[in-house]
Amino acid sequence: MVCEALSLTIPFFTNLASKDAKLATNRYNLCRSTPRIRCSSSSAEGPVTADKLENDYALTGTAYDFERGTISITRESLSSPKKVILVRHGLSTWNEEGRVQGSSNLSVLTEDGVKQAERCRHALAKMHFDKCFSSPISRAKTTAEVLWQGREEPLVFLDSLKEAHLFFLEGMKNVDAKVIYPKEYITWREDPANFYVNGVYPLRRLWATARDAWREILFTPGESFLVVTHKSIVRALICTALGLPPERFRSIDVNNGGISTFVFNKRGEAMLQSLNMTAHMYSDHVYLS
């Protein structure tokens, strides 16, 4: 990027008497040459071309030369830019009962959860999707089936979209888990990146799983995808796409039926366009793009 110095005329105001008019004029002339800077997109490497924008610049809102503003989640070129809509499943029985869900398949959608899924379907009805990916776990699977009604392409179920496995905490009410397993429960709630159980760090494992999910999704032919899954894996998908570590896990919240949108350029670099949109949960709002 090349910058050059220009001048900016700034009027000089004074309350001097008429006998000092000559002094005021001199001061005005001094101020009218105050410098300013103009930058152009030209550089020593030549002008910015369409090819250069496509191949050399990160997807950072056309902030040219903004190096390391994003990372590539795929580390390989994609066949085309991609758009991905992430949706958290509707309200489940264990959400309602205040139980730790994890990867258990025993928690299913409530009647309200089905209605939330229907609201999501209505909200996304005008958007085209090449494929819908879903967790195979019941509460997400049912949400995806409701969302995908009337679409021709079959649903694609990915194990990499399953929720974090929380071992013996799964199925327990939160109030009971806090009393029976205080150390594990408090670590999971307050320091999840260091939550360690049965020889593994579930959240660190989830980060690796999220990266696998992104690769499976983004290397699929097509340009627009719908993804239906769970709260923790949605958080991990968002964080890994943005280059955030597991320590930032609880910096992001996602409601039941919340919708988040990413776009990826051909280098696999992500831009988060919307996070946890819920207007459709309280109105007949329809998203157009």
Side-chain angles (χ1 to χ4, degrees):
M1 182 175 288
V2 177
C3 296
E4 58 180 310
L6 301 175
S7 62
L8 174 66
T9 300
I10 303 175
F12 185 86
F13 299 97
T14 180
N15 291 322
L16 292 176
S18 59
K19 66 179 180 180
D20 295 318
K22 184 176 180 180
L23 177 59
T25 300
N26 289 339
R27 289 180 178 176
Y28 172 78
N29 289 334
L30 285 173
C31 291
R32 65 184 299 175
S33 60
T34 303
R36 67 184 173 94
I37 301 296
R38 180 178 71 188
C39 296
S40 74
S41 58
S42 300
S43 69
E45 299 177 354
V48 176
T49 65
D51 286 342
K52 194 170 184 64
L53 290 177
E54 178 64 43
N55 298 322
D56 293 347
Y57 290 101
L59 185 63
T60 54
T62 63
Y64 306 144
D65 293 330
F66 191 83
E67 295 181 2
R68 294 178 294 279
T70 62
I71 63 166
S72 172
I73 190 64
T74 58
R75 301 189 183 279
E76 296 179 38
S77 295
L78 304 177
S79 60
S80 63
K82 311 279 184 175
K83 184 170 188 173
V84 181
I85 304 293
L86 305 176
V87 181
R88 183 188 172 195
H89 65 75
L91 185 73
S92 70
T93 51
W94 284 9
N95 284 149
E96 205 167 51
E97 295 168 11
R99 295 183 184 273
V100 179
Q101 295 190 114
S103 59
S104 173
N105 204 32
L106 300 178
S107 178
V108 299
L109 284 194
T110 63
E111 288 186 12
D112 285 340
V114 173
K115 291 177 182 177
Q116 289 175 336
E118 290 171 345
R119 282 191 168 276
C120 289
R121 181 183 66 206
H122 173 75
L124 299 172
K126 294 188 180 297
M127 296 183 65
H128 167 76
F129 297 104
D130 295 302
K131 285 191 182 297
C132 178
F133 300 92
S134 173
S135 160
I137 295 174
S138 175
R139 55 194 185 273
K141 180 175 181 287
T142 303
T143 302
E145 289 169 344
V146 172
L147 270 168
W148 204 240
Q149 282 178 12
R151 309 258 186 175
E152 293 183 4
E153 286 289 323
L155 287 167
V156 179
F157 297 103
L158 300 179
D159 286 342
S160 56
L161 290 175
K162 287 182 176 180
E163 186 60 298
H165 184 30
L166 299 179
F167 298 91
F168 52 80
L169 293 180
E170 293 184 357
M172 296 187 68
K173 287 193 173 183
N174 286 285
V175 291
D176 295 334
K178 186 175 182 179
V179 172
I180 299 170
Y181 299 106
K183 179 181 177 181
E184 292 83 355
Y185 182 82
I186 291 172
T187 302
W188 169 241
R189 289 296 177 185
E190 298 182 2
D191 187 17
N194 291 311
F195 174 59
Y196 183 77
V197 59
N198 283 30
V200 300
Y201 290 93
L203 197 67
R204 299 183 194 182
R205 176 179 286 181
L206 192 67
W207 246 240
T209 302
R211 293 189 184 97
D212 290 341
W214 275 128
R215 290 180 63 85
E216 289 184 86
I217 293 164
L218 295 173
F219 284 122
T220 298
E223 296 184 359
S224 183
F225 302 125
L226 179 63
V227 175
V228 183
T229 187
H230 313 268
K231 184 175 186 176
S232 292
I233 185 65
V234 168
R235 283 169 155 172
L237 288 167
I238 292 170
C239 286
T240 52
L242 298 177
L244 300 176
E247 288 76 12
R248 301 301 299 276
F249 173 70
R250 296 205 184 276
S251 298
I252 293 170
D253 198 15
V254 184
N255 293 58
N256 291 111
I259 295 174
S260 302
T261 307
F262 272 101
V263 290
F264 294 82
N265 64 9
K266 290 177 68 173
R267 286 167 44 168
E269 297 166 322
M271 178 178 283
L272 180 61
Q273 290 193 320
S274 63
L275 176 64
N276 194 31
M277 295 188 295
T278 57
H280 57 286
M281 288 297 177
Y282 313 102
S283 69
D284 292 328
H285 187 81
V286 175
Y287 303 106
L288 301 179
S289 60

